[in-house]
Amino acid sequence: MHHLSATNADTDWARTIDNLLTLAKEASQSFDFDRAIEYLCNLERIWDSKGLPDFSMELRVELHREKGKAFTKLGKLDEAINEYQRILKFCQDSNQLEAKSETFTQIGQLLSKQGDHERALGYHQRAIGAYRRLRDNTGMCKALRNLGVSYIELGEFEEAEDTYQQAIEIAEQLGDRLLYADLVNNLGAILNMKGNWEEALDKYQVSLEIYAAENEIRKSGYAKNNVAITFNEQGMHDEAFTYFRSAYDIANQINDASLALIVDINLADLYLKKRMLSEAKSHCEKAEQHLTGSNLTNGHLIEVKMIAGKIATHEKDHNTAVSHFNEAFDLCREIGARFLEAEVLLERGTLLRILGKHFDALNDLEASYHLYSSLKAEGKREQTEKVIKSIETLYLEVFDSMGKEVDHKDKYTKGHSDRVASLALLLARELGLRSHVLKTIVAGALLHDIGKIEVDDSILKKAGRLTDEEFVQIKKHPEMGVELLRGKEFPWEIKPLVLHHHEKYDGSGYPLGLKGEDIPLGARIVCVADVFDALTSDRVYRKAFDTEKALDIMKQESGSSFDPMILKCFIEMIDGGKANLVINSRTRENEMYSIWSKCSNIDGQPLDESGRIPVTH
């Protein structure tokens, strides 16, 4: 029986309170959490109404802990946090370090569920400190596990993996199989995020075997959910569905609202991938009802909004889709969910591109690109590379569309942007430039004439000599191009190439009259490719020159219009036949993607410190 600060006359009340507490625990064990809370609230009401002496510290902690656990199971996290905060308040002037350490852990876990990961980190670190003072390795191991979860949510995967490795070592020393299984299960989640999905499945299997041996139904439900996520991401939808359904059955069996919520979200995503929109929508709505009913603003709500946006996109309800993505983005900013923010921006950018809102799409894609790049540095390696490549593909689709807008204005320049990009790429590779610089040059070449969209058609298509006034208008197209791109950021430094591709090596070019190496290297390369393609293509005012004549014309301007070293390399490349398939060619619809695929250092040669491929003599 618990000890109360009561007289002998209070013995019956003490017995009643003990009985209510016992009934509450039994109700929780039977997963009847509403009834458990009812018993615990009655306990408090009886005590207050009778004006009985205050609870002992032990009973006070136990009461609020039981209420916190029950509220948590029902998904009422604010109420649960309030109960645990009351424990800390009661322990403030006492030496109840053990109660404090456990309470720090509980509050940290609940804050993580609400998406407040920065505050959660603080509570987990306080718990680790308390357990260390208590010399409680089991508690410290659990606190490390929870700290790792917060690191995962913040996208700090390297820190999470290091934390789990520390905890696993402690669990092995303790011989605590169940705790070891929890940690291995979480480590599997990190491995899956890093792209090591087969190794992740092995970790999950170890955990599931231990959970089965220990009859841990709830934990096995979460592990099965993890297995299903891994299968789903690998396109193994049937296997994923089997594990999701098993986890869902467990959630319903034990009345675990948190597990049911997670599986609803994941089933919605699975059905969406299978284009089963009504089923996806049903699970998405269930998840949203739970979250809004519990007044939860966390990563799960972001996922729900994002899935709802993707469903609306498939249904061609684009306004609704944008609205959902906007809500998801605002939530990401509110709770600091960086990885989810990158996903939302990618989805919204993809949709905006479909809607033809190219510059808005580029804004989202640029932000997404940099977020994923940042996460990659923190451990999101292989999977992030795939996402970055998909973002590059979306940029290319936008560049392709914008380039075609320029070409569409003048049939004689059809394919010009692609050919200039292809020639510039070949030249840049001959110069031994690194992969990222190659991409910059190709992207700049694709958009070098974007400003011509703003030039009057009558000037662009004029068959005779341009007047001085008309030539002034033509000369504005580099600045017009940069103006069109103003405020739009790219993964590559494109704008200097657009602005300066008509500068001349002797300083007589436009728009700024830059001279020599003050002209960006990429712009000097694009200039050579641009002039050569113009000379070897039919124009409205003349027929194309043959290759030899074009090169003779360009040689006469070596050191004046062109960088001599770059032009020399270009001439050697042309004479060597390396551009035969490009010169005056009719480009295909997907030409740009073929060009882009050649931007990487496909020869696998090592780069020197300057980023160039070493040249052997």
Side-chain angles (χ1 to χ4, degrees):
M1 181 181 293
H2 298 287
H3 300 293
L4 299 174
S5 302
T7 64
N8 290 335
D10 298 324
T11 302
D12 288 342
W13 289 116
R15 185 178 297 110
T16 298
I17 287 171
D18 266 348
N19 287 338
L20 284 170
L21 188 58
T22 299
L23 289 170
K25 289 181 178 181
E26 290 174 350
S28 289
Q29 289 170 357
S30 300
F31 310 113
D32 191 350
F33 302 114
D34 285 315
R35 185 173 292 276
I37 290 171
E38 184 179 343
Y39 283 132
L40 293 167
C41 288
N42 284 337
L43 187 160
E44 285 189 278
R45 280 196 293 270
I46 290 172
W47 198 264
D48 292 339
S49 66
K50 297 301 179 182
L52 297 173
D54 200 6
F55 292 119
S56 70
M57 181 64 71
E58 178 187 1
L59 183 56
R60 186 187 298 277
V61 169
E62 189 167 7
L63 164 66
H64 294 297
R65 183 178 293 152
E66 289 298 321
K67 284 180 73 178
K69 289 178 181 178
F71 278 128
T72 299
K73 294 297 185 183
L74 291 172
K76 298 179 178 180
L77 303 190
D78 282 333
E79 291 90 335
I81 289 173
N82 182 58
E83 296 300 326
Y84 290 119
Q85 292 285 11
R86 292 174 74 180
I87 293 175
L88 291 180
K89 183 179 178 181
F90 296 142
C91 294
Q92 194 169 15
D93 299 322
S94 73
N95 293 319
Q96 297 285 331
L97 187 57
E98 186 174 345
K100 285 182 181 179
S101 60
E102 183 176 339
T103 305
F104 289 144
T105 295
Q106 296 291 348
I107 294 174
Q109 288 177 319
L110 293 172
L111 288 170
S112 286
K113 287 185 178 181
Q114 289 186 314
D116 195 348
H117 306 300
E118 293 289 352
R119 284 181 64 204
L121 280 178
Y123 276 97
H124 292 319
Q125 287 162 347
R126 291 168 75 183
I128 291 169
Y131 284 122
R132 186 173 285 117
R133 287 170 58 194
L134 289 167
R135 301 183 185 279
D136 182 349
N137 285 337
T138 299
M140 190 162 65
C141 192
K142 292 178 179 178
L144 284 167
R145 174 192 62 195
N146 295 323
L147 180 65
V149 171
S150 291
Y151 278 136
I152 290 174
E153 294 294 342
L154 289 168
E156 298 175 2
F157 300 109
E158 295 293 350
E159 288 83 351
E161 186 171 2
D162 289 344
T163 300
Y164 283 130
Q165 294 292 3
Q166 291 177 47
I168 286 172
E169 288 180 15
I170 296 173
E172 287 181 309
Q173 293 170 7
L174 293 169
D176 189 329
R177 277 167 48 82
L178 201 52
L179 182 55
Y180 175 82
D182 292 344
L183 295 164
V184 169
N185 182 40
N186 289 340
L187 183 58
I190 296 175
L191 292 170
N192 184 47
M193 291 174 185
K194 294 174 69 174
N196 301 330
W197 65 275
E198 292 177 322
E199 191 176 348
L201 288 174
D202 290 339
K203 299 295 184 186
Y204 296 145
Q205 189 58 44
V206 170
S207 297
L208 283 170
E209 289 173 2
I210 295 175
Y211 291 149
E214 300 290 333
N215 198 30
E216 278 288 344
I217 299 174
R218 175 178 173 275
K219 290 178 183 292
S220 68
Y222 282 92
K224 288 180 178 181
N225 176 70
N226 284 344
V227 172
I229 290 172
T230 304
F231 280 134
N232 193 26
E233 289 175 350
Q234 297 304 315
M236 303 165 71
H237 300 315
D238 291 339
E239 293 87 343
F241 183 78
T242 299
Y243 276 92
F244 277 141
R245 287 307 314 179
S246 181
Y248 207 45
D249 290 343
I250 290 172
N252 291 326
Q253 175 189 342
I254 65 175
N255 195 24
D256 191 316
S258 295
L259 179 57
L261 166 66
I262 292 169
V263 181
D264 269 322
I265 293 171
N266 290 324
L267 279 172
D269 182 59
L270 173 60
Y271 281 124
L272 181 61
K273 285 186 168 90
K274 297 179 73 172
R275 300 295 190 269
M276 299 170 69
L277 298 187
S278 60
E279 290 86 349
K281 188 178 292 187
S282 174
H283 283 283
C284 189
E285 288 172 350
K286 283 183 186 178
E288 185 167 17
Q289 287 169 7
H290 173 87
L291 290 162
T292 54
S294 302
N295 197 29
L296 291 175
T297 302
N298 57 19
H300 294 318
L301 184 59
I302 296 170
E303 290 179 284
V304 166
K305 295 292 184 184
M306 187 161 48
I307 291 171
K310 289 193 280 188
I311 291 171
T313 298
H314 282 291
E315 293 177 332
K316 308 298 183 185
D317 187 355
H318 296 139
N319 289 335
T320 299
V322 170
S323 177
H324 284 310
F325 291 140
N326 289 344
E327 290 180 81
F329 176 77
D330 291 341
L331 289 170
C332 288
R333 286 297 178 89
E334 181 180 337
I335 69 174
R338 297 171 64 227
F339 179 73
L340 287 173
E341 182 178 339
E343 286 193 279
V344 171
L345 286 166
L346 176 57
E347 293 295 339
R348 191 173 68 180
T350 303
L351 175 58
L352 290 171
R353 185 194 60 77
I354 292 171
L355 297 178
K357 298 181 179 180
H358 296 148
F359 291 125
D360 290 334
L362 285 172
N363 275 336
D364 277 359
L365 296 175
E366 163 66 12
S368 178
Y369 180 93
H370 286 297
L371 276 171
Y372 275 122
S373 296
S374 172
L375 290 170
K376 175 188 174 185
E378 296 164 3
K380 190 67 176 175
R381 296 188 180 99
E382 201 168 310
Q383 185 179 348
T384 306
E385 283 295 332
K386 294 178 182 178
V387 179
I388 289 173
K389 287 179 181 177
S390 74
I391 293 174
E392 286 186 353
T393 299
L394 293 174
Y395 274 111
L396 290 178
E397 290 173 0
V398 174
F399 292 163
D400 191 31
S401 177
M402 295 171 75
K404 286 175 180 175
E405 286 187 52
V406 179
D407 287 346
H408 183 68
K409 296 202 66 167
D410 185 358
K411 65 180 181 180
Y412 288 100
T413 62
K414 182 65 177 169
H416 173 68
S417 299
D418 282 347
R419 287 193 301 273
V420 171
S422 191
L423 288 167
L425 171 61
L426 289 171
L427 176 53
R429 285 187 61 80
E430 287 294 306
L431 293 167
L433 301 180
R434 63 179 183 263
S435 176
H436 189 77
V437 177
L438 299 182
K439 292 177 180 179
T440 300
I441 290 169
V442 168
L446 289 167
L447 296 184
H448 76 283
D449 275 342
I450 186 69
K452 287 185 177 178
I453 292 174
E454 301 296 315
V455 177
D456 191 272
D457 280 3
S458 63
I459 297 176
L460 282 180
K461 298 177 182 179
K462 185 175 180 179
R465 183 180 178 84
L466 296 177
T467 66
D468 290 344
E469 292 78 9
E470 289 169 338
F471 188 57
V472 167
Q473 291 300 311
I474 282 286
K475 287 170 65 176
K476 290 181 179 179
H477 79 268
E479 293 167 290
M480 289 177 175
V482 172
E483 187 63 32
L484 282 171
L485 302 176
R486 186 176 299 281
K488 313 304 175 186
E489 297 301 326
F490 302 90
W492 314 284
E493 291 293 325
I494 296 171
K495 294 173 191 173
L497 278 66
V498 173
L499 182 63
H500 298 301
H501 72 279
H502 278 293
E503 304 284 2
K504 293 188 177 182
Y505 200 71
D506 63 3
S508 63
Y510 61 88
L512 300 183
L514 297 184
K515 184 176 181 180
E517 295 195 3
D518 289 340
I519 304 169
L521 173 62
R524 282 178 272 152
I525 291 171
V526 172
C527 174
V528 170
D530 183 29
V531 172
F532 179 79
D533 185 70
L535 291 171
T536 54
S537 300
D538 287 332
R539 309 307 291 251
V540 67
Y541 49 86
R542 62 155 173 78
K543 299 295 288 183
F545 294 111
D546 62 33
T547 299
E548 185 177 353
K549 177 63 175 176
L551 291 180
D552 284 342
I553 293 172
M554 295 178 72
K555 286 175 187 177
Q556 294 173 25
E557 297 188 37
S558 178
S560 55
S561 292
F562 310 113
D563 181 324
M565 185 273 291
I566 291 177
L567 180 61
K568 180 176 182 292
C569 185
F570 182 77
I571 292 171
E572 291 174 354
M573 180 186 82
I574 298 297
D575 287 343
K578 296 181 180 179
N580 287 350
L581 296 179
V582 178
I583 299 171
N584 203 19
S585 64
R586 293 182 60 85
T587 59
R588 299 164 296 177
E589 283 297 313
N590 62 346
E591 186 73 27
M592 187 182 60
Y593 303 97
S594 175
I595 299 169
W596 193 264
S597 68
K598 300 169 186 173
C599 286
S600 298
N601 179 24
I602 56 175
D603 295 328
Q605 298 180 58
L607 301 177
D608 64 19
E609 292 182 357
S610 68
R612 295 174 180 269
I613 301 171
V615 178
T616 57
H617 299 281

